Amino acid sequence: MKLGNATLDQLPQGISGPTYDRSVLTPGIVHIGLGNFHRGHQAWYLHRLMQDGLAHDWAIVGAGVRAGDEAQRNRLAAQDYLTTLIELDPAGRSAEVIGSMIDFVPVQEGNAPLIAQMADPAIRIVALTVTEGGYYIDPVTNGFDADHPDIQHDAANPDSPHTAFGAMIAALKQRRDAGTGPFTGLSCDNLQGNGAILRQTVVSLARMSDPALADWIDANCTFPNSMVDCIVPATGPKELDIVRMMGIDDAAPVTHENFRQWVIEDEFCAGRPDWDKVGATFSDNVHAYESMKIRILNGGHQVISNPGEILGVEFISGCMANPLIGPFFRKLATEEITPHVNPVPGMAPADYVDLIDRRFSNPEIVDTVRRVAFDGSSRHTGFLLPTLRDALNAGTPIDGLALAEALWARMCEGTREDGTIIAPNDPIWDSLNSAAKAAKTDPAAWLAQRDLYGDLAENATFVAAFSHWLNLIWSDGTEAALTAYLNG
Ligand code: NAD
């Protein structure tokens, strides 16, 4: 059955579709970066509200600023912007068709259609999922990267910008001049402080061509921080087969795990849907939720993927099923990470460890160890070392955290224990690889990477624990080291 408005009443048994009249929906949100995640997460929350008879004036208009987004537009337009969502529950898959998106702006060089759409006063929120790397942040200073060629282009050509941010600025200029007011900029990318980063990028870019407009945007627009969470794999032949086997011909289905979380600052300058009525949380303390997620989920991903790679385990669920790696995560997270995580309303850190344990263990989610272990130089420093520092300051145990660093150092040597090669998997792989080789006989050589470890290289407690584990891994193997930690 070809998915579309005309066939919604013929959905296969057990698959629900919109119960609302899609022809009366009106737009309220432009979403830039119409990949899979948006449809599995934010578009689902809106669909749930619409099913309850609410938010019918908040429908989504999709958009993209990259030439490749036109193909997505064509796929979705051919099926009236409907999406089949397939939930990957270990107890069995289920599916539903969501209808909260009603249009997709033509993708054009210079972005005139997108600017016109965002200048429409009906649009009150412009949301984005343009990836963590899409915000023009200088990796060294964390500040705005004004020298980037895209930014230079947009500063020189504010009426025909390349970037999403340049297009937002051009639309806001029209709105200011017409007196139709600002919109909220809502980043849904996986960045800590994503709203503050979006504000920095938009306001800094505007300042390069029109300082008065930059001041107006800074004073009138809001950019709420938000924490988003749901594992949404990419769609490939396997996912297309799954939806076909369910009896639906959908060219762009989305699979997702059976868990979603969305915590948002309630800072919307032009109104918002009541997403909290369908499970989202409005909070002044997004940072605490982010911190819990980053230390346990993202940190935990590093803890399991490094030994997984060394031992040749392919998927994250396989790591959790391994008799040593799954227990390594549980012991380390419970004894060494949770003392440095604050509870959030409704969730104690220990309960969050149980939740992450279940999510990582879901065999339906095909998440590769290689993907999760990528870019350890950003992820160990961002997700694990802050906990290690807190633990050293507080005098709480660090043995497992030191072992996690030693396993990373072992992995970066570039071979698995079966002798096969680990392909480079970090933007600074070459320097990690030479430090890892030197550390085989001199563990301090790994910690001497000052840009990663800083003064931790001089902390006697950490240096002793790290050296002990790395020497043991090289002499007796990874399984022996994990066993020693679990029995310790
Ligand atoms: P995707 O690859 O399916 O889609 C990415 C979209 O962003 C595409 O439309 C692409 O054209 C656009 N894009 C990429 N780089 C861009 C840039 N520099 N400027 C403008 N547009 C750009 O990816 P996805 O699964 O939808 O994930 C997108 C983002 O959502 C992630 O980077 C992450 O920040 C967030 N997220 C994803 C997941 C997940 O499990 N997939 C979970 C939490 C958060």
Side-chain angles (χ1 to χ4, degrees):
M1 184 220 79
K2 171 91 184 96
L3 186 61
N5 279 337
T7 54
L8 273 179
D9 58 353
Q10 300 156 34
L11 288 175
Q13 180 111 40
I15 299 182
S16 64
T19 51
Y20 43 90
D21 177 359
R22 295 188 76 224
S23 69
V24 303
L25 300 180
T26 55
I29 299 173
V30 167
H31 189 94
I32 306 174
L34 224 295
N36 273 6
F37 180 62
H38 168 70
R39 291 179 295 145
H41 191 265
Q42 302 102 60
W44 176 87
Y45 281 95
L46 192 61
H47 170 75
R48 289 248 69 82
L49 273 181
M50 290 176 166
Q51 293 287 65
D52 292 344
L54 301 168
H56 289 182
D57 59 342
W58 281 103
I60 296 161
V61 177
V65 294
R66 302 190 136 192
D69 291 317
E70 184 66 14
Q72 178 80 318
R73 176 174 187 264
N74 292 337
R75 275 191 292 271
L76 291 172
Q79 55 194 51
D80 299 320
Y81 313 102
L82 293 160
T83 290
T84 313
L85 295 184
I86 298 151
E87 184 166 89
L88 302 171
D89 188 324
R93 291 176 193 145
S94 60
E96 65 184 318
V97 171
I98 63 164
S100 52
M101 181 178 162
I102 56 168
D103 201 357
F104 200 124
V105 183
V107 182
Q108 239 178 55
E109 180 69 33
N111 289 302
L114 172 58
I115 294 167
Q117 182 69 63
M118 292 189 292
D120 179 343
I123 299 302
R124 286 148 286 158
I125 295 175
V126 172
L128 302 98
T129 41
V130 293
T131 79
E132 292 87 335
Y135 286 78
Y136 301 95
I137 307 295
D138 182 320
V140 179
T141 64
N142 254 347
F144 175 60
D145 183 5
D147 295 330
H148 193 286
D150 291 348
I151 294 300
Q152 289 286 324
H153 172 276
D154 284 9
N157 303 278
D159 297 329
S160 54
H162 284 337
T163 73
F165 315 106
M168 289 168 75
I169 293 163
L172 285 166
K173 182 168 192 282
Q174 291 184 25
R175 294 172 75 119
R176 181 200 60 181
D177 294 348
T180 46
F183 54 65
T184 298
L186 179 61
S187 168
C188 299
D189 277 300
N190 231 346
L191 286 162
Q192 259 190 302
N194 55 10
I197 289 170
L198 176 59
R199 177 188 288 275
Q200 171 179 277
T201 300
V202 171
V203 174
S204 306
L205 174 57
R207 200 165 296 290
M208 291 170 77
S209 62
D210 187 340
L213 179 61
D215 287 342
W216 184 85
I217 293 172
D218 205 16
N220 291 282
C221 293
T222 51
F223 299 90
N225 291 303
S226 70
M227 186 276 250
V228 291
D229 194 8
C230 179
I231 298 171
V232 178
T235 295
K238 177 172 173 269
E239 287 70 24
L240 290 168
D241 275 352
I242 293 175
V243 77
R244 209 171 296 123
M245 273 158 22
M246 288 178 158
I248 302 183
D249 178 4
D250 179 336
V254 173
T255 59
H256 61 87
E257 71 169 321
N258 57 329
F259 174 86
R260 281 187 190 84
Q261 194 175 15
W262 195 10
V263 185
I264 322 157
E265 278 174 354
D266 197 359
E267 299 280 342
F268 288 79
C269 63
R272 58 156 172 83
D274 292 331
W275 286 304
D276 51 331
K277 292 192 167 141
V278 286
T281 305
F282 288 108
S283 169
D284 292 338
N285 201 3
V286 171
H287 180 74
Y289 290 87
E290 272 176 346
S291 179
M292 181 179 274
K293 177 185 171 227
I294 278 172
R295 290 191 171 204
I296 298 174
L297 185 154
N298 301 104
H301 258 159
Q302 299 310 295
V303 167
I304 63 175
S305 63
N306 295 165
E309 186 66 291
I310 300 165
L311 296 174
V313 184
E314 197 176 357
F315 300 117
I316 290 301
S317 57
C319 292
M320 296 305 284
N322 179 287
L324 296 173
I325 302 176
F328 176 46
F329 165 73
R330 281 186 284 277
K331 180 172 160 77
L332 193 166
T334 305
E335 295 180 6
E336 302 186 26
I337 299 181
T338 56
H340 309 289
V341 171
N342 290 322
V344 298
M347 184 69 78
D351 297 333
Y352 193 74
V353 172
D354 290 343
L355 173 68
I356 297 308
D357 189 327
R358 281 199 302 281
R359 292 174 62 195
F360 284 177
S361 302
N362 182 349
E364 287 282 313
I365 306 276
V366 182
D367 206 6
T368 63
V369 161
R370 181 170 175 77
R371 184 193 81 82
V372 171
F374 170 69
D375 198 11
S377 59
S378 299
R379 292 174 167 176
H380 273 258
T381 49
F383 305 153
L384 285 174
L385 296 189
T387 306
L388 176 63
R389 281 177 202 283
D390 286 353
L392 287 165
N393 286 336
T396 55
I398 58 128
D399 235 22
L401 290 162
L403 174 53
E405 293 311 297
L407 289 163
W408 182 40
R410 169 65 187 82
M411 187 193 90
C412 291
E413 187 266 351
T415 57
R416 297 187 186 86
E417 287 198 347
D418 66 5
T420 54
I421 302 291
I422 299 170
N425 200 16
D426 196 291
I428 59 162
W429 179 262
D430 288 349
S431 66
L432 293 175
N433 184 242
S434 40
K437 284 180 171 150
K440 217 169 152 174
T441 49
D442 173 19
W446 178 259
L447 301 179
Q449 301 178 97
R450 299 291 302 198
D451 46 340
L452 302 178
Y453 288 99
D455 59 352
L456 286 171
E458 277 120 47
N459 184 293
T461 308
F462 173 54
V463 173
F466 173 83
S467 304
H468 163 75
W469 287 124
L470 190 57
N471 287 332
L472 186 64
I473 291 167
W474 280 119
S475 62
D476 294 14
T478 294
E479 291 183 345
L482 290 170
T483 304
Y485 173 68
L486 291 171
N487 293 336

